[in-house]
């Protein structure tokens, strides 16, 4: 009886192991491997010289546009605020504004004017990208366009499909209202789509239109966007085709996104609304810096887990536990040395105060922050496309070598923060289509050290 039971037990064990092995084999065979995503190349739009706008011209045009629009005048207090903000903004005198801002006889922007601005940036960057890569428009299977404050019918993605005769089954998305972080959110979306649609290209276009969004009221918190945002755009081509391995510039390693909109402070710090006189503008209030830092810290924690060396991860965990268990000792937070994990840090230019706080938090040197500060100075805040002007800057400086890791970070209204890590697949050579090429010898510049203007206000109250 005992022998029979032993035999039965052995049979049961054998059958169980066999089933488990077959199950594991089935899972292994049916599991889809993650496709590698490559960045073949990108292109940044450089507006014509006629659209360059100095700080002096910007103030002059604001006065004339206010008069042309409603016959009124900007108060001296508002003009003084603009001058102070522009002097300390970190922007130079070679940034670009839309064509209509140079027409000092009128400021009555139409839908046609706005569409012309975005089409110049979109078509200019896509034309350049297709010329650089040699990819045919009919081979593009995924299209993602992002533009925060401007929306039109048909959508921007439809405008591109029509202009470039993309195929009827192209998978297209149009992201609006997602702030300056939308460009990297689009990279994350494209990464997921490229795991589903095999052997194809993804075209991503990031831009903004400010033609219809010039604020000419008296609320100082709404004047900040006028002084910081400028014209620009970028087109990026991704691929999951194995054959593109040898021609691509970068390999996508990680994407990390987080959104703290559940916090009222984060949700309200950048808000489009009317002022007391009914004039629409974008309010940027005093909570922005706090919301930005707290959201970025969450992003850093998630990203650090992916890219930091094990020693830094352990030190961070030990410090976190100690600060919670021994709160009475006021232990300072441990800030990992992110420069061990990346070679180039490219944060969204945002504004000078945010860059200063980010540099302070991460304890990065001025050299690490050079690309973002030079981009802010030369091109201003071009919204979601800013990070691509920064990458173009380090490429033009000849600093991107094979094997380098590039960290792009973008943040914007909501409040949202996104990080993307790229690995350079080759040393980047001279590129005559790089927007910095013909003037890179002039950079980096030594910028003045004046403190940034106190630009974060509660909305101005009507007297």
């Amino acid at each position: 009886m005992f022998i029979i039971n032993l035999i039965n037990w052995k049979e049961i064990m054998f059958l169980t192991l066999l089933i488990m092995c077959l199950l594991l084999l089935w899972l292994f065979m049916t599991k889809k491997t993650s496709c590698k995503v490559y960045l073949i190349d990108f292109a940044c739009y450089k507006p014509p010289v006629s659209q360059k706008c100095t700080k002096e011209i910007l103030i002059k045009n604001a006065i004339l546009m206010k008069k042309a629009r409603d016959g009124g005048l900007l108060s001296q207090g508002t003009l003084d605020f603009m001058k102070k903000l522009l002097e300390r903004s970190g922007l130079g005198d070679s940034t670009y504004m839309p064509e209509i801002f140079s027409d000092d006889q009128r400021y009555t922007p139409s839908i046609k004017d706005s569409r012309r601005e975005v089409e110049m940036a979109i078509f200019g960057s896509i034309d350049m990208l297709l010329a650089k890569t040699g990819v045919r428009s009919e081979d593009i299977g995924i299209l993602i366009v992002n533009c925060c404050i401007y929306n039109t019918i048909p959508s921007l993605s439809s405008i591109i499909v029509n202009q470039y005769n993309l195929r009827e089954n192209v998978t297209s998305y149009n992201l609006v209202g997602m702030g300056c972080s939308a460009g990297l959110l689009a990279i994350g979306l494209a990464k997921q789509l490229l795991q589903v649609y095999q052997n194809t290209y993804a075209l991503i276009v990031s831009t903004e239109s400010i033609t219809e969004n010039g604020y000419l009221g008296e609320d100082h918190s709404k004047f900040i966007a006028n002084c910081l945002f400028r014209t620009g755009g970028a087109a990026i081509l991704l691929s999951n085709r194995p054959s593109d391995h040898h021609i691509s510039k970068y390999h996508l390693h990680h994407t990390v996104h987080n959104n703290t909109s559940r916090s009222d402070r984060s949700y309200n710090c950048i808000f489009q609304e009317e002022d007391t006189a009914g004039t629409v503008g974008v309010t940027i209030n005093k909570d922005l810096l706090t919301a930005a830092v707290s959201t970025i810290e969450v992003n850093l924690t998630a990203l650090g887990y992916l890219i930091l060396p094990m020693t830094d991860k352990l030190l961070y965990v030990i410090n976190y536990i100690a600060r919670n268990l021994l709160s009475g000792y006021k232990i300072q937070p441990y800030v990992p040395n992110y420069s061990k994990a990346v070679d180039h840090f490219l944060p969204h230019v945002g504004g000078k105060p945010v860059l200063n706080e980010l540099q302070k938090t991460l304890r990065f040197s001025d050299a690490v922050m050079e690309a973002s500060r030079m981009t802010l100075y030369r091109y201003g805040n071009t919204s979601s496309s800013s990070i691509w002007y920064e990458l173009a800057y380090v490429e033009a400086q000849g600093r991107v070598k094979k094997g380098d890791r590039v960290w792009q970070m973008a943040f914007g209204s909501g409040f949202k923060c996104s990080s993307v890590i790229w690995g350079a697949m080759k040393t980047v050579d001279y590129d005559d289509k790089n927007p910095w090429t013909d003037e890179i010898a002039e950079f980096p510049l030594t910028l003045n050290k004046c403190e940034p203007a106190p630009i974060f206000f509660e909305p101005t109250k009507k007297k």
Side-chain angles (χ1 to χ4, degrees):
M1 185 68 178
F2 174 78
I3 295 175
I4 295 174
N5 289 338
L6 183 62
I7 293 173
N8 290 339
W9 180 81
K10 287 183 177 180
E11 290 177 346
I12 293 171
M13 286 293 295
F14 175 78
L15 289 173
T16 302
L17 289 172
L18 180 61
I19 292 171
M20 290 179 65
C21 290
L22 292 173
L23 180 60
L24 288 172
L25 180 62
W26 178 80
L27 289 172
F28 177 79
M29 294 179 65
T30 58
K31 181 182 178 181
K32 291 184 178 180
T33 57
S34 178
C35 294
K36 290 185 177 180
V37 176
Y38 305 106
L39 192 163
I40 296 181
D41 213 331
F42 67 97
C44 297
Y45 172 65
K46 190 171 186 176
V49 175
S50 60
Q51 290 183 222
K52 280 189 178 181
C53 184
T54 66
K55 294 186 281 289
E56 182 180 354
I57 290 175
L58 183 63
I59 294 173
K60 174 188 172 184
N61 284 353
I63 297 172
L64 294 172
M65 287 189 297
K66 172 70 172 177
K67 185 177 181 180
R69 192 179 73 169
D70 56 25
L73 295 173
L74 293 173
S75 70
Q76 189 60 46
T78 295
L79 290 174
D80 291 341
F81 171 77
M82 282 188 66
K83 292 175 183 177
K84 184 178 182 181
L85 176 57
L86 287 168
E87 287 171 358
R88 302 183 178 186
S89 64
L91 275 72
D93 282 327
S94 296
T95 58
Y96 301 94
M97 293 294 285
E99 291 175 320
I100 195 170
F101 282 77
S102 62
D103 186 351
D104 55 23
Q105 300 304 311
R106 68 179 184 95
Y107 181 65
T108 53
S110 64
I111 292 176
K112 183 178 179 180
D113 294 322
S114 296
R115 184 175 284 117
R116 174 169 170 77
E117 180 194 354
V118 296
E119 286 182 350
M120 287 176 68
I122 289 174
F123 298 164
S125 56
I126 294 179
D127 287 348
M128 193 183 308
L129 179 64
L130 295 181
K132 290 172 71 175
T133 61
V135 171
R136 301 178 304 170
S137 57
E138 56 264 32
D139 292 330
I140 296 171
I142 298 168
L143 171 65
I144 304 173
V145 187
N146 69 272
C147 184
C148 177
I149 206 169
Y150 175 72
N151 194 15
T152 185
I153 300 174
S155 67
L156 292 178
S157 59
S158 294
I159 290 174
I160 294 173
V161 171
N162 177 264
Q163 174 71 15
Y164 293 94
N165 196 28
L166 301 189
R167 62 196 197 207
E168 292 182 358
N169 66 341
V170 64
T171 301
S172 63
Y173 290 84
N174 203 80
L175 309 181
V176 296
M178 301 194 73
C180 301
S181 65
L184 292 187
L185 286 168
I187 296 292
L189 175 58
K191 176 186 176 182
Q192 295 182 38
L193 292 170
L194 287 169
Q195 304 306 314
V196 178
Y197 299 94
Q198 302 300 309
N199 202 39
T200 191
Y201 296 104
L203 173 63
I204 298 171
V205 182
S206 297
T207 192
E208 188 53 84
S209 172
I210 54 180
T211 291
E212 293 185 89
N213 298 296
Y215 176 74
L216 296 174
E218 293 292 338
D219 187 336
H220 292 178
S221 67
K222 293 180 175 61
F223 247 99
I224 300 166
N226 287 11
C227 297
L228 295 181
F229 283 87
R230 295 294 187 270
T231 296
I236 304 96
L237 188 67
L238 303 183
S239 171
N240 59 10
R241 295 157 52 107
S243 58
D244 289 328
H245 175 272
H246 298 293
I247 63 171
S248 299
K249 279 187 174 181
Y250 302 95
H251 173 222
L252 180 58
H253 288 318
H254 305 291
T255 58
V256 175
H257 312 289
N258 62 293
N259 188 328
T260 58
S261 295
R262 67 179 183 179
S263 161
D264 289 342
R265 171 175 283 183
S266 292
Y267 179 72
N268 292 310
C269 67
I270 303 176
F271 210 89
Q272 186 180 31
E273 59 186 355
E274 297 171 328
D275 63 13
T276 53
T279 304
V280 176
V282 177
T283 298
I284 300 178
N285 68 38
K286 61 185 179 63
D287 289 330
L288 173 59
L289 212 54
T290 302
V293 171
S294 61
T295 307
I296 290 170
E297 285 178 349
V298 176
N299 191 271
L300 290 174
T301 300
L303 183 68
Y305 175 78
L306 296 172
I307 68 172
L308 287 173
M310 185 58 67
T311 52
D312 283 276
K313 293 177 184 178
L314 290 174
L315 288 171
Y316 178 86
V317 171
I318 293 170
N319 176 266
Y320 178 82
I321 295 173
R323 283 190 292 117
N324 283 272
L325 295 179
L326 307 171
S327 55
Y329 288 88
K330 297 182 180 179
I331 300 173
Q332 293 298 313
Y334 173 68
V335 180
N337 184 358
Y338 284 90
S339 61
K340 294 180 182 178
V342 295
D343 301 284
H344 308 283
F345 177 53
L346 308 175
H348 169 55
V349 299
K352 194 172 181 180
V354 179
L355 288 178
N356 288 351
E357 193 64 30
L358 193 58
Q359 181 177 6
K360 179 182 175 182
T361 300
L362 295 177
R363 302 175 186 173
F364 277 155
S365 66
D366 289 341
V368 174
M369 303 296 292
E370 180 187 313
S372 55
R373 294 196 186 281
M374 294 302 105
T375 299
L376 178 62
Y377 178 87
R378 177 61 182 84
Y379 288 96
N381 184 342
T382 60
S383 191
S384 57
S385 65
S386 293
I387 51 174
W388 298 104
Y389 288 90
E390 295 176 58
L391 183 54
Y393 177 86
V394 293
E395 286 189 353
Q397 288 284 7
R399 297 175 184 170
V400 178
K401 309 299 181 184
K402 183 177 180 179
D404 282 0
R405 299 186 97 188
V406 179
W407 176 11
Q408 290 180 310
M409 173 188 281
F411 31 82
S413 58
F415 202 82
K416 297 182 287 294
C417 182
S418 297
S419 285
V420 171
I421 302 293
W422 304 95
M425 301 184 67
K426 60 183 178 181
T427 297
V428 178
D429 299 319
Y430 174 84
D431 180 0
D432 62 353
K433 293 182 173 59
N434 187 310
W436 295 89
T437 294
D438 59 352
E439 53 189 296
I440 195 63
E442 303 170 17
F443 293 89
L445 300 174
T446 301
L447 305 180
N448 62 62
K449 295 294 184 180
C450 66
E451 289 299 313
I455 64 174
F456 304 118
F457 292 92
E458 293 292 357
T460 305
K461 303 297 182 183
K462 185 178 181 180
K463 295 183 179 179

